[in-house]
Amino acid sequence: MKAFSDRLFILFVAISTGFFVLFFLGILISMAWYTDFQTLVSTILSEEISFSIRLTLLTATIAVIFCTMVSVPTAYMLSRMDFTGKNWIDTLLDIPIVLPPISLGAALLMFFSTPVGKSIEDATIKFVFSEPGIILAQFTVISAISIRLMKSTFDNIDPKYEAVARTLRCNKFQAFFRVTLPLAKNGLIASIILSWARAVGEFGASVTLAGATRMKTETLSIAIYLSLSTADIEKTVAIVFILLLISVFVLFLIRRVSGREPFM
Amino acid sequence: MIFLLIISILAYIQFFDSSPVHDKKKIVTFCGAASKPVMEEAALEFERDYGIEVELHFSGSGTMLSQMKISKTGDLYIPGSHDYMLRAMRDEVVDPDTIEMLAFLVPQIIVQEGNPKNIQSLEDLTKPEIKVGIGDPISVCVGEYAVELLKYNELYESVEPNIVVHAESCSRTAALVTAEQVDAIIGWDVFAKWNPKKTDVVLIKPERIPKIACIPGAISVYSTDKESAQKFLNFLHSEGGQQIFRKYGYLSTIEEARIYAPLASTPEIVKTD
C-alpha cells in the first residue's frame, strides 16, 4: 500500500513538472513557427539589435550591482533587528512588487519634474529620456525582489553563528563578511540571478522613464515592443529568441561559476 | 488547495458570467490609438441604434495589426494612418475593396499651455534650449510624419539635436507635452483637442506641410460577421459618425484638411469604386 501511495506521489509531481515543460516548450515552438533562421541571423547582425543587446546586458548588470549593494544591508537589517515601524518599512519596500512597472516609471518621471528631482538631475546625471534612466527604472523594479530574497535567506541563517564569531572577537563587520555572507551565498546568487533576469526583461518602467529612442534607450524588451508595433512579426520573434538565448546562457554561466546549484 | 481551486473557479464563473441573456451580435474592432475618443463614443451610439455590440481594442496601429495577424481574428481594422492600411493590404489582412476614409489628420506643432517657450514656427524648434519630442519614426506613424515634415522643410539636421525622446506610441507622443516632459512635439492637430487645458497648437504654415494623413477603416479577411462589420463601417462614414469625428476635432473631409495643407499629397490609398 505504501509503495502504491509513493508511486502515486511521484506520478503527481511528475505530471506537474511535465505540464510546465510541455506548456513552455509549446509556447516556444509555436513562436518559432513565425520566424526563420535567416531572419534570426540577420536580426542579430543588425546594428540596431546588437546595440540593444549590449545596452540591455550593461544596464541590467549595473542595476543588479547597485541593487545588491543596497538590498543586502537592508535585508539584513529587516531580518536581524527589531525597531519601531519595521512592519511599515517592510510593507513600503514591497510596493514595487505590487505596482505595475509602468506606474513606477510614471512615478519616477513625475518625481524628476519636481524641483527636488530637477535639482538632483542637475547635480548628478540626467535620468529622464536617457540611458541612466533605464538603470534607475530596472533598479526600482528589482529592488523588492532582491530585498525579499535576501531577507528570507538571512532569516534562515541561525544568528548563533554570528554570536559565536563575536565571542571569537570578530567585530560586526567581520562577523557579517566572514560568517553570515558566506552562509548566505546560495541565497545571494539566487537573488542576483532573479533580479538580473527581471532587469533584462524590464519594459514598462524603462520605456516610461527613458523613452523608446532607437540606438539610445532601446533595450531588447523595447526593441520587441517597437518591432511588434511595426507589425514585423518575424523580427519580433527573432529578438525574443535572441533575448532568450542570451539569458539562458548567462543564467547557466552564473550557476556554473557559482559552483553549486542555488536553491531557486 | 483543491478546495481553493474550486472556490476560485466558481468565483471566476460567477464574475464573468458570459452566458448572454439574448443573443446579441458582436464585432471586434482593432483601432490605432489615434482615434480612441471617437471610436469609444461611436461604438456606444452604434450599439444603441443597431443593437450590435462593438468590442474595441486600442494600441499602436502596428501592434493591432500584429495581433490580428497572429490571432487571425477581428472584424474591422482602423489604423491611425493609411501607411498601416497599405501594410494590412500587403499582408492580406484586410479586404481592399472595403476601405473607407473616415477622417483626416494634419501634423502641427503642439506646445504646452500658453506656449511658455514662445514657439511660433518650425524654425523655433532649432533653438538650442528647446526640447522636442516625436514618435518613434519607424513604428509610430506620427513620428514618421514628423521626420518627413522636418526633412521636407530642410530642418531635420538642425532640429535633430533638440529631439530628446522618441515615444513608443501615438498617445505617448501626445502625453510628452501634457506631462511637460518636452517643450514641443510634432503631433496631429487633434492632440491639442484631447487635452485642451494643457496644450496649445502652433499652426505650421500650410504650404510647408508635405503630407496629409488619414484614418482609414476596412473589413478584415478574418471577419466572421462581415455584414455587421460593414454596418459599423458605414455608420462611421455616415453623417452621424462623421459628426463624432468633428466633435473631437478630426477633419472629416479632404477639403477641410486641404485648408491646412494645400500642397500636401493625399493619402495614397485609392478606393476601387
Side-chain angles (χ1 to χ4, degrees), chain B residues 13 89 121 128 141 176 188 211 227 243:
Chain B
I13 293 170
M89 280 165 64
S121 65
C141 38
L176 288 174
W188 301 130
K211 209 159 120 187
E227 198 185 325
Q243 243 168 29

Side-chain angles (χ1 to χ4, degrees), chain B residues 24-51:
Chain B
K24 205 172 187 182
K25 282 187 176 175
K26 191 171 99 174
I27 53 167
V28 179
T29 303
F30 286 85
C31 314
S35 56
K36 188 163 188 266
V38 179
M39 295 308 295
E40 280 171 343
E41 189 170 328
L44 284 178
E45 203 163 299
F46 179 73
E47 187 179 347
R48 203 182 52 216
D49 295 354
Y50 293 79

Side-chain angles (χ1 to χ4, degrees), chain A residues 71-84 86 90 147 149-166 172 175-185:
Chain A
S71 71
V72 168
T74 309
Y76 183 83
M77 180 163 186
L78 291 173
S79 169
R80 286 286 192 270
M81 295 172 196
D82 276 315
F83 49 91
T84 42
K86 183 176 161 179
D90 218 358
I147 295 172
L149 281 174
M150 284 318 294
K151 182 176 178 289
S152 73
T153 307
F154 288 134
D155 284 346
N156 284 322
I157 297 171
D158 197 332
K160 279 185 193 139
Y161 291 114
E162 260 171 85
V164 171
R166 298 274 286 148
K172 285 225 172 216
F176 179 76
F177 282 108
R178 290 193 187 166
V179 178
T180 314
L181 204 57
L183 285 170
K185 187 186 160 203

Side-chain angles (χ1 to χ4, degrees), chain B residues 104-117:
Chain B
F104 296 87
L105 298 165
V106 177
Q108 300 290 8
I109 302 168
I110 315 286
V111 295
Q112 291 171 22
E113 164 73 21
N115 200 355
K117 293 283 168 83

Side-chain angles (χ1 to χ4, degrees), chain A residues 30-144:
Chain A
S30 54
M31 274 190 89
W33 204 260
Y34 280 90
T35 194
D36 53 71
F37 190 68
Q38 209 176 356
T39 319
L40 191 69
V41 172
S42 67
T43 310
I44 294 180
L45 295 178
S46 76
E47 199 190 354
E48 185 190 337
I49 296 306
S50 57
F51 169 83
S52 274
I53 294 173
R54 273 176 286 143
L55 181 72
T56 309
L57 295 182
L58 190 69
T59 51
T61 307
I62 296 174
V64 168
I65 291 172
F66 275 122
C67 187
T68 308
M69 275 163 49
V70 191
S71 71
V72 168
T74 309
Y76 183 83
M77 180 163 186
L78 291 173
S79 169
R80 286 286 192 270
M81 295 172 196
D82 276 315
F83 49 91
T84 42
K86 183 176 161 179
N87 281 336
W88 287 100
I89 293 182
D90 218 358
T91 312
L92 181 78
L93 295 178
D94 270 340
I95 283 178
I97 295 184
V98 184
L99 284 185
I102 191 160
S103 62
L104 290 174
L108 286 168
L109 201 56
M110 287 168 204
F111 171 72
F112 285 113
S113 305
T114 62
V116 180
K118 274 185 185 148
S119 51
I120 289 176
E121 271 203 322
D122 290 341
T124 56
I125 38 170
K126 223 175 121 7
F127 289 103
V128 174
F129 303 145
S130 64
E131 299 86 337
I134 303 172
I135 297 172
L136 181 62
Q138 292 170 339
F139 175 91
T140 315
V141 170
I142 65 178
S143 59

Side-chain angles (χ1 to χ4, degrees), chain A residues 34 48 109-110 113 128-129 203 207-214 216 225-234, chain B residues 59-63 65-66 69-70 72 84 87 91 136 138-139 164-169 172 176 179 181-182:
Chain A
Y34 280 90
E48 185 190 337
L109 201 56
M110 287 168 204
S113 305
V128 174
F129 303 145
F203 170 73
V207 81
T208 316
L209 181 64
T213 312
R214 278 178 209 267
K216 188 182 171 200
Y225 177 86
L226 287 179
S227 133
L228 199 64
S229 308
T230 45
D232 190 345
I233 293 159
E234 292 79 15
Chain B
S59 190
S61 308
T63 311
L65 184 57
S66 292
K69 272 163 73 175
I70 297 171
K72 301 201 185 342
Y84 278 101
R87 220 171 282 191
D91 295 349
D136 174 58
I138 298 173
S139 65
V164 293
V165 64
H166 291 173
E168 74 276 16
S169 71
R172 275 282 299 159
L176 288 174
Q181 298 300 329
V182 296

